């Protein structure tokens, strides 16, 4: 049986405590078994005297004890625990950590602001497709705000500011204020934030970045409400929330009472009393960097803890120089225990077919769909994990219902549809798996799934007997399928026969297989026509 290891990750923040219980396999794939969050307000009233107060400590200890018990009851072999701003600044942090160790048997590590920023970077970069761009990542916690300038492969700058949603709210609203926030008071809040943030933001602007990515509950809540206010809906995946939308949302929030703020769409009622303080931080950052808006991710420090753990456990090559899309595809594939050598060879043959068919004018899909073919060829057989019978249907379901980081919902549907149509039925436009796709996308699904069918047939024996393949123009409506092999490939040739009609339907061309040895010499006695 495959080696499995359950690990718990606990993030003790200033506002909330989070638990992720994760099952990790020997190949580095993982499954989140449980994802928990409790708002405990550990930093409540702390920033007046840098002391964690007894009630806050008690709440935090109870939640940590419950989370630890939950993890251990689910066979967690390790529990990784870190504490951030509230704990690291508290005068009584030592007694707090000792209490957690005694009551919950947890070995808690208090991390610095820079280490917090590094872990946030790992979490965000693992779940947000940066492509080739550099981003300013902003994470607004309860007690601190982390700033990271980074691209997909590395970070260039890490910083942590003593500005957070609870810290700022505690300073300007020492008592719960049920009233609207006047423009004058809000301006005072922003002036304070600018004064604290001036040097960190100057350092950030020494770098060139293409976009801002916001993480944390404060930014998620604010962005959601901003889109509800402007569009009547939550933000779509990968959609920018403009600075103007953010500013309009803040102006509206300030005009409302505390009770009214707690009923707004997108705003967690338990965050309604600190949302103004957090909103002022992100608005100031957007204004001072002259940014048009920001993108939002739900990836956090806790996700970074998992990535850091995997890297330290020997999976660094999986994370180094790998795109978010690559990692999320292989993560899903490995979770489903795919036959990786077979998938890799199908991928190679599929890309050979894509490139050569594009070269001879059979399609003009370009690099975007080539990349989707790359990923679809890895995922097309994952349904075998559930059952070989009708595994194309299972593959469709698994992909369609996955949370593939770096892909939008349209791209996930295309990958799922390709997996569905890589065998059996022809992808007619009326098929429900294609509903919602444009005509161009439906055509791309037909072409990509056809190429994967051919590649799958060419590795029927799972022995890599066809080393490479290409399509070449023949006379009239004939296309040559050039196969390079020095092994017996009768099974592969027989499998190709089943796809001759599909190739004609998609490309309006007949296919004729020609076999060459590795020296490029035609092996004439093994030529087999297809599509006659």
């Amino acid at each position: 049986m495959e080696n499995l290891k359950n690990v718990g990750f606990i993030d003790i923040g200033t506002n909330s405590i989070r638990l992720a219980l994760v099952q990790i396999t020997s190949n580095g794939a993982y499954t989140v078994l449980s994802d928990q969050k409790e708002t405990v307000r550990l930093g409540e009233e702390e920033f007046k005297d840098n002391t964690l107060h007894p009630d806050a400590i008690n709440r935090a200890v109870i939640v940590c004890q419950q989370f630890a018990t939950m993890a251990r009851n689910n066979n967690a072999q390790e529990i990784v625990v870190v504490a951030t701003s509230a704990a690291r600044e508290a005068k009584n942090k030592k007694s707090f950590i000792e209490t957690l160790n005694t009551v919950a048997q947890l070995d808690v590590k208090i991390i610095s602001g820079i280490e917090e920023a590094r872990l946030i970077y790992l979490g965000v970069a693992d779940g947000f497709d940066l492509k080739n761009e550099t981003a300013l990542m902003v994470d607004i916690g309860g007690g601190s705000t982390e700033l990271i300038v980074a691209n997909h492969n590395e970070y260039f700058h890490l910083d942590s500011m003593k500005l957070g949603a609870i810290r700022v709210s505690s300073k300007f609203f020492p008592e719960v204020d049920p009233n609207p926030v006047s423009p004058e008071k809000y301006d005072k809040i922003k002036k304070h934030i600018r004064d604290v943030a001036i040097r960190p933001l100057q350092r950030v602007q020494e770098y060139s970045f293409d976009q801002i990515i916001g993480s944390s509950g404060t930014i998620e809540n604010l962005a959601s409400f901003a889109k509800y206010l402007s569009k009547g809906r939550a933000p779509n995946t990968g959609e920018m929330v403009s600075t103007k939308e953010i500013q309009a949302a803040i102006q509206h929030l300030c005009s409302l009472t505390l009770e009214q703020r707690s009923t707004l769409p997108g705003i967690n009622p338990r965050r309604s009393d600190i949302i103004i303080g957090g909103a002022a931080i992100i608005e100031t950052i957007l204004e001072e960097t002259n940014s048009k808006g920001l993108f939002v991710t739900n990836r956090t420090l806790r996700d970074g803890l998992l990535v850091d753990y995997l890297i330290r456990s020997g999976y660094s090559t999986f994370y180094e120089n790998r795109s978010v899309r690559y990692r999320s595809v292989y993560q899903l594939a490995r979770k489903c225990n795919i036959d990786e050598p077979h998938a890799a060879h199908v991928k190679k043959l599929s890309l050979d077919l894509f490139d050569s068919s594009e070269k001879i004018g059979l399609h003009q899909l370009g690099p975007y769909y080539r990349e989707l073919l790359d990923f679809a060829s890895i995922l097309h057989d994952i349904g075998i994990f559930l059952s070989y019978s009708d595994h194309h249907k299972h593959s469709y379901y698994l992909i369609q219902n996955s949370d593939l980081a770096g892909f939008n919902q349209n791209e996930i549907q295309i990958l799922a549809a390709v997996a569905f149509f890589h065998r059996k039925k022809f992808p007619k436009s009326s098929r429900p798996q294609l509903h919602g796709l444009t005509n161009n996308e439906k055509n791309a699904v037909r072409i990509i799934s056809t190429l994967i069918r051919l590649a799958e047939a060419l590795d029927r024996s799972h022995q890599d007997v066809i080393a490479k393949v290409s399509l070449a123009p023949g006379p009239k409506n004939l296309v040559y399928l050039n196969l390079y092999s020095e092994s017996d490939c009768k099974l592969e040739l027989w499998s190709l026969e089943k796809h001759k009609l599909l190739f004609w339907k998609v490309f309006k061309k007949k296919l004729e297989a020609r076999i060459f040895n590795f020296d490029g010499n035609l092996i004439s006695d093994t030529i087999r026509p297809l599509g006659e």
Side-chain angles (χ1 to χ4, degrees):
M1 178 179 280
E2 186 175 19
N3 292 328
L4 300 174
K5 183 177 184 180
N6 290 359
V7 182
F9 298 92
I10 298 177
D11 165 22
I12 303 173
T14 303
N15 184 51
S16 59
I17 299 177
R18 298 169 179 263
L19 163 71
L21 182 62
V22 181
Q23 186 173 80
I24 303 172
T25 67
S26 57
N27 63 12
Y30 63 86
T31 301
V32 178
L33 303 176
S34 183
D35 189 355
Q36 305 289 329
K37 174 186 173 183
E38 288 292 339
T39 301
V40 298
R41 294 283 171 92
L42 179 60
E44 188 173 67
E45 298 187 13
E46 175 197 359
F47 301 110
K48 298 174 183 177
D49 55 7
N50 283 347
T51 302
L52 296 175
H53 286 236
D55 288 345
I57 290 175
N58 187 52
R59 291 193 298 268
V61 170
I62 290 172
V63 169
C64 285
Q65 186 178 24
Q66 290 174 337
F67 282 174
T69 301
M70 185 185 302
R72 292 180 181 121
N73 286 344
N74 283 276
N75 303 314
Q77 295 162 262
E78 281 186 73
I79 303 178
V80 179
V81 193
V82 299
T84 56
S85 178
R88 68 173 168 256
E89 293 184 37
K91 295 175 183 176
N92 55 341
K93 60 187 173 186
K94 184 177 179 181
S95 63
F96 172 60
I97 298 303
E98 288 174 349
T99 302
L100 283 174
N101 187 277
T102 302
V103 176
Q105 289 82 52
L106 290 174
D107 180 15
V108 183
K109 291 181 172 59
I110 297 177
I111 59 175
S112 68
I114 298 302
E115 175 63 2
E116 185 175 353
R118 185 187 74 86
L119 291 169
I120 290 166
Y121 160 71
L122 289 177
V124 173
D126 184 54
F128 192 95
D129 187 18
L130 287 169
K131 299 183 172 65
N132 296 317
E133 296 185 340
T134 299
L136 168 61
M137 300 173 183
V138 180
D139 184 278
I140 300 175
S144 65
T145 293
E146 278 62 50
L147 303 173
I148 305 107
V149 180
N151 61 23
H152 170 71
N153 295 317
E154 60 182 327
Y155 57 81
F156 307 110
H157 178 73
L158 303 173
D159 208 342
S160 181
M161 304 186 294
K162 290 186 177 182
L163 290 169
I166 291 179
R167 188 193 294 267
V168 171
S169 299
S170 296
K171 181 177 179 62
F172 288 93
F173 306 98
E175 304 295 333
V176 175
D177 187 347
N179 300 307
V181 179
S182 69
E184 294 76 18
K185 186 160 192 174
Y186 186 71
D187 285 343
K188 287 181 181 178
I189 296 172
K190 286 182 65 179
K191 180 182 184 305
H192 167 71
I193 292 169
R194 277 195 298 270
D195 290 344
V196 175
I198 184 168
R199 284 297 297 131
L201 289 178
Q202 285 175 349
R203 289 193 291 267
V204 159
Q205 291 180 87
E206 293 173 5
Y207 300 86
S208 176
F209 51 87
D210 307 293
Q211 58 185 306
I212 292 183
I213 303 170
S215 59
S216 75
T218 293
I219 292 179
E220 284 189 83
N221 277 222
L222 182 61
S224 292
F225 175 63
K227 278 298 179 187
Y228 274 114
L229 196 62
S230 65
K231 303 290 185 183
R233 57 166 174 78
N236 294 324
T237 302
E239 180 182 18
M240 176 185 279
V241 183
S242 72
T243 299
K244 289 183 178 179
E245 287 175 316
I246 294 287
Q247 290 169 331
I250 294 172
Q251 186 175 9
H252 190 77
L253 285 169
C254 288
S255 70
L256 302 176
T257 65
L258 176 61
E259 183 178 357
Q260 289 171 326
R261 290 200 297 270
S262 68
T263 64
L264 295 173
I267 302 293
N268 183 336
R270 301 185 72 176
R271 198 179 289 275
S272 58
D273 60 331
I274 60 171
I275 191 69
I276 299 294
I281 297 171
I282 192 60
E283 182 181 17
T284 302
I285 292 172
L286 288 169
E287 290 175 349
E288 293 300 309
T289 57
N290 296 312
S291 298
K292 294 180 180 179
L294 79 162
F295 298 91
V296 181
T297 178
N298 61 0
R299 294 299 178 112
T300 64
L301 180 149
R302 191 200 49 202
D303 299 287
L305 282 174
L306 170 59
V307 174
D308 189 60
Y309 182 87
L310 291 170
I311 292 172
R312 292 174 185 272
S313 299
Y315 301 106
S316 58
T317 54
F318 185 63
Y319 285 90
E320 291 172 358
N321 301 317
R322 303 292 193 184
S323 72
V324 171
R325 287 153 77 94
Y326 174 96
R327 292 200 302 266
S328 61
V329 163
Y330 276 84
Q331 155 70 10
L332 175 59
R334 289 176 176 177
K335 190 188 301 183
C336 295
N337 294 323
I338 65 162
D339 179 347
E340 284 201 49
H342 171 63
H345 197 60
V346 169
K347 168 183 168 177
K348 178 187 181 304
L349 297 178
S350 297
L351 294 175
D352 284 348
L353 290 167
F354 184 96
D355 294 339
S356 58
S357 58
E358 186 175 48
K359 186 175 181 180
I360 65 174
L362 291 183
H363 69 82
Q364 296 179 326
L365 294 183
Y368 173 74
Y369 285 108
R370 187 184 192 274
E371 184 186 41
L372 290 183
L373 168 62
D374 183 329
F375 297 135
S377 62
I378 296 299
L379 295 175
H380 74 284
D381 270 345
I382 63 171
I384 295 174
F385 176 69
L386 299 178
S387 170
Y388 184 83
S389 177
D390 288 336
H391 68 267
H392 59 297
K393 295 180 182 178
H394 304 317
S395 295
Y396 173 84
Y397 175 83
L398 288 169
I399 297 170
Q400 186 74 353
N401 290 279
S402 67
D403 182 19
L404 284 172
F407 295 88
N408 60 42
Q409 287 303 309
N410 225 39
E411 291 170 330
I412 290 174
Q413 185 181 353
I414 290 170
L415 294 177
V418 169
F420 185 88
F421 292 113
H422 91 272
R423 64 195 296 262
K424 296 194 175 182
K425 295 181 179 179
F426 179 76
K428 294 180 180 178
S429 292
S430 58
R431 300 287 187 196
Q433 294 79 14
L434 298 177
H435 287 178
L437 298 180
T438 66
N439 289 334
N440 287 339
E441 289 169 338
K442 291 176 182 178
N443 186 52
V445 169
R446 293 188 191 98
I447 292 171
I448 291 173
S449 60
T450 299
L451 297 181
I452 289 181
R453 285 194 195 211
L454 294 178
E456 178 80 18
L458 292 173
D459 196 38
R460 178 68 183 277
S461 63
H462 290 215
Q463 297 297 317
D464 298 2
V465 295
I466 306 295
K468 62 179 180 176
V469 61
S470 66
L471 291 164
K476 296 184 179 179
N477 66 342
L478 184 68
V479 169
Y480 292 121
L481 179 62
N482 295 333
L483 311 176
Y484 295 83
S485 176
E486 292 191 346
S487 305
D488 183 354
C489 53
K490 290 187 179 66
L491 182 61
E492 281 68 27
L493 289 170
W494 178 81
S495 296
L496 281 169
E497 280 289 324
K498 295 186 293 184
H499 305 302
K500 60 185 181 183
L501 180 59
L502 176 65
F503 192 87
W504 173 262
K505 284 182 177 179
V506 174
F507 296 110
K508 297 298 183 285
K509 298 285 184 180
K510 290 186 177 182
L511 208 57
E512 182 177 303
R514 303 190 302 183
I515 303 178
F516 296 82
N517 62 24
F518 293 163
D519 293 328
N521 299 316
L522 181 67
I523 305 173
S524 58
D525 60 346
T526 56
I527 295 177
R528 185 183 183 107
L530 301 170
E532 293 298 332

